[in-house]
Amino acid sequence: MTDYLKIDHIDKTFVRAGATAEVLKDITLGIARGEYVSIIGHSGCGKSTLLNIVAGLLPATNGGVLLENREVNEPGPDRAVVFQNHSLLPWLTVYDNVRLAVDKVFSGSKSRAERDAWTLHNLDLVQMTHAKDKRPSEISGGMKQRVGIARALAMEPKVLLLDEPFGALDALTRAHLQDSVMALHQKLGNTVLMITHDVDEAVLLSDRIVMMTNGPSARIGEVLDIALPRPRRRLEMAANPVYLKCRQRVLEFLYERHRFVEAA
Amino acid sequence: MRGLDPIFQVLRTVPPLAWLPLSLAAFRQGQPAAIFVIFITAIWPIIINTAVGIRNIPQDFRNVAAVLRLNHLEFFYKIMVPSAAPYIFTGLRIGIGLSWLAIVAAEMLIGGVGIGFFIWDAWNSSRISEIILALVYVGITGFILDRIVATLATLVTRGTAAN
């Protein structure tokens, strides 16, 4: 299997005021087209750093990222990011936030009317058409995140990068949005790389879970395949033996073998 | 900007009226000299606040711009200006307050016209009640000017400016 997205022997070392801190050590990971991969690990283990390297927002110290066998080392709309805190521009309406991305990515290939239709189509995918003329400050946290997802999807990215997309949401909204993301993944077949610290979320959504050891010098500790058929239903999963076993494996990894040691 | 900051901070602390003799020497006329004093008084808070606003563009917005590959011009119009606008308007509000202050003070010294001269003239002819009336007038005008800029800020920044 040739990997669609390949993270190849990445090291990341931060140097600040003469002190060096090795955050990531020798991270190698291949992701197939259409696959949904989650990266889970304790806080501070470098998950977000890894995502930022894939997004091109941070340079890797060693190693590189290959997308369709071509090296990527700067940010671009082919790797759209859904940020943890939505990062919508507060002075633009919901529609304009998505339209900004659409206009930038499709300025040469789509006419005005097509771009308008494409923007509305993506808002429709996340069920946010009703709020298209509202500003981010006027909608709820879950809705903002939906718009963030619409903006990312509208770029037609090769890989969708989700940086703890549900982290700032309450449990009910989170569940609802997870179901939406699952349905979107089913429908559009995107390749997704998601950062999370929620075990249930990782098991429910992913095809594979990458578990990272604690930093400094975090490595990939274990990779777990989730052999659950799709579509997955939240309620059925609660009693599914495969689901429970996977969940158990991740919990063991996180809380027995790699307990989070609070840094002094 | 960081290198220029000490220069701004020093120039900012020079009192408005201290500029007046220099300004009069340069322009040799009351009117343009007064305008220069108003300018040099009001410009610093506007510059400093604008710089702070640009420095404080959230990293998230920079990341969005990077992912979208906005070029410099697009970044300027679509991220930098709207993001810094609340700070710029804060600078304008301080600036307009200071310039009103400078106007009144400059008029006192230059003489001939304006509310500043009116106050000084009233003092010279011992009309204390007129001075008090003028002070109320100056205060209310300053307040109205501030409100106008604040309203403008809310309109332009579409409510994202902190009032």
Side-chain angles (χ1 to χ4, degrees):
Chain A
M1 183 179 76
T2 56
D3 298 317
Y4 189 60
L5 175 74
K6 186 157 180 61
I7 300 168
D8 199 6
H9 296 285
I10 283 201
D11 299 330
K12 179 69 189 174
T13 310
F14 284 107
V15 181
R16 185 171 293 152
T20 59
E22 190 172 48
V23 178
L24 296 172
K25 178 131 184 84
D26 202 23
I27 304 281
T28 297
L29 178 68
I31 297 171
R33 189 173 195 146
E35 199 176 16
Y36 197 121
V37 175
S38 291
I39 297 176
I40 196 165
H42 288 293
S43 125
C45 76
K47 308 184 292 282
S48 288
T49 307
L50 181 60
L51 189 99
N52 282 339
I53 291 171
V54 176
L57 296 168
L58 277 177
T61 309
N62 290 312
V65 179
L66 297 167
L67 180 60
E68 289 185 309
N69 289 322
R70 291 173 69 173
E71 185 176 12
V72 285
N73 47 18
E74 55 178 15
D78 54 346
R79 282 150 292 131
V81 188
V82 177
F83 298 95
Q84 181 175 8
N85 49 0
H86 67 77
S87 295
L88 298 177
L89 305 176
W91 52 86
L92 295 178
T93 62
V94 162
Y95 174 88
D96 287 331
N97 263 290
V98 179
R99 181 66 188 264
L100 176 66
V102 173
D103 278 348
K104 187 61 194 163
V105 177
F106 298 104
S107 59
S109 53
K110 280 183 158 78
S111 70
R112 277 184 86 85
E114 280 172 333
R115 294 203 297 265
D116 175 63
W118 179 243
T119 306
L120 290 172
H121 170 73
N122 279 283
L123 283 172
D124 190 43
L125 280 179
V126 295
Q127 294 127 40
M128 282 302 297
T129 316
H130 62 94
K132 72 183 177 69
D133 294 321
K134 290 195 170 149
R135 290 188 199 291
S137 57
E138 297 163 345
I139 59 178
S140 71
M143 287 173 161
K144 283 178 206 164
Q145 207 51 278
R146 281 177 189 276
V147 179
I149 293 168
R151 178 172 65 182
L153 287 174
M155 299 178 209
E156 280 194 330
K158 289 174 178 163
V159 181
L160 191 59
L161 304 172
L162 309 178
D163 187 2
E164 297 187 24
F166 316 117
L169 305 174
D170 65 87
L172 290 174
T173 312
R174 190 185 303 172
H176 197 55
L177 209 52
Q178 284 165 354
D179 290 341
S180 295
V181 167
M182 227 173 352
L184 284 172
H185 179 242
Q186 190 78 19
K187 189 172 170 184
L188 305 173
N190 300 89
T191 310
V192 185
L193 180 63
M194 177 174 81
I195 302 290
T196 181
H197 46 221
D198 182 328
V199 176
D200 283 299
E201 178 175 297
V203 178
L204 183 67
L205 296 178
S206 322
D207 297 314
R208 259 192 309 156
I209 301 180
V210 175
M211 292 171 252
M212 290 183 66
T213 64
N214 285 332
S217 305
R219 291 171 294 105
I220 292 179
E222 195 178 324
V223 180
L224 179 67
D225 281 299
I226 311 290
L228 286 168
R230 288 177 188 275
R232 301 170 183 170
R233 290 175 191 282
R234 184 178 299 276
L235 287 175
E236 292 167 13
M237 285 301 140
N240 185 310
V242 181
Y243 178 88
L244 292 174
K245 207 172 163 192
C246 292
R247 190 168 178 277
Q248 186 68 23
R249 281 279 295 277
V250 180
L251 286 171
E252 273 170 16
F253 179 90
L254 289 175
Y255 297 105
E256 276 182 16
R257 277 179 286 157
H258 295 277
R259 284 177 74 95
F260 180 53
V261 186
E262 190 80 53
Chain B
M1 188 64 213
R2 208 161 286 164
L4 291 174
D5 200 52
I7 301 174
F8 290 158
Q9 296 299 345
V10 168
L11 288 174
R12 186 173 74 92
T13 47
V14 176
L17 288 186
W19 289 102
L20 190 61
L22 195 67
S23 174
L24 275 171
F27 292 101
R28 294 166 190 283
Q29 269 179 20
Q31 188 80 4
I35 290 173
F36 174 76
V37 168
I38 293 160
F39 166 79
I40 205 80
T41 310
I43 194 75
W44 306 116
I46 300 172
I47 290 179
I48 291 168
N49 274 283
T50 304
V52 170
I54 285 167
R55 216 178 293 156
N56 284 0
I57 296 173
Q59 187 59 40
D60 294 332
F61 297 169
R62 293 184 188 274
N63 286 347
V64 169
V67 169
L68 289 176
R69 288 208 184 123
L70 297 184
N71 59 38
H72 288 293
L73 200 65
E74 287 166 329
F75 182 74
F76 180 77
Y77 282 114
K78 294 191 168 148
I79 310 278
M80 198 187 274
V81 171
S83 182
Y87 291 86
I88 296 172
F89 274 99
T90 304
L92 284 173
R93 273 178 82 176
I94 300 171
I96 204 155
L98 284 178
S99 60
W100 181 233
L101 196 134
I103 291 168
V104 177
E107 282 170 352
M108 282 185 169
L109 284 186
I110 291 172
V113 288
I115 188 77
F117 173 70
F118 179 85
I119 294 171
W120 201 242
D121 197 39
W123 162 243
N124 283 332
S125 25
S126 305
R127 297 193 299 262
I128 302 296
S129 62
E130 282 188 11
I131 295 178
I132 293 168
L133 183 71
L135 290 187
V136 171
Y137 174 83
V138 168
I140 289 172
T141 309
F143 176 74
I144 291 170
L145 285 173
D146 183 64
R147 285 286 101 192
I148 289 172
V149 179
T151 309
L152 203 67
T154 318
L155 287 176
V156 172
T157 62
R158 300 165 192 173
T160 52
N163 285 312

